[in-house]
Amino acid sequence: MLKKIVTAAALATLLSGCANGLSPVGVGLITDVKGPITATTAQGSKQGTSCATTIIGLINKGDASIEGAKANGSISSVASADYHTKGFYPFYGKTCVTVTGS
């Protein structure tokens, strides 16, 4: 009986704060959504992307910042910034920020 309780507690802890990211509709079992961060009236001729990933909430790495995306696209002035979150909860998640500008 104690083994079942410990196993259930460990499973609940493992699943409680795992692989998730930004999403306008929440993070479900399988997530593949895009959403806006910001936009101006200017049109962007360049594009840059930066991403961060998580594996069961234990291994988290990457740079999903607007500054990272600007650097990757050689952008100095941002016209728009959007994100794309994909994942299979609670095992894997990836969020990418895409910036357009000049």
Side-chain angles (χ1 to χ4, degrees):
M1 178 68 168
L2 180 61
K3 185 176 179 181
K4 288 182 181 181
I5 293 171
V6 170
T7 301
L11 184 60
T13 301
L14 179 66
L15 297 177
S16 66
C18 300
N20 59 23
L22 295 173
S23 175
V25 293
V27 177
L29 178 63
I30 298 172
T31 302
D32 186 0
V33 295
K34 295 180 181 180
I37 296 173
T38 188
T40 66
T41 57
Q43 294 294 319
S45 59
K46 297 179 182 178
Q47 181 175 318
T49 301
S50 60
C51 300
T53 59
T54 182
I55 301 171
I56 55 174
L58 299 175
I59 301 169
N60 307 297
K61 67 178 195 168
D63 177 6
S65 68
I66 291 174
E67 288 299 318
K70 281 174 60 178
N72 290 339
S74 300
I75 297 170
S76 59
S77 178
V78 174
S80 68
D82 297 314
Y83 65 86
H84 184 192
T85 298
K86 294 176 80 169
F88 183 62
Y89 185 81
F91 306 106
Y92 176 80
K94 181 176 183 178
T95 297
C96 294
V97 171
T98 301
V99 171
T100 63
S102 55

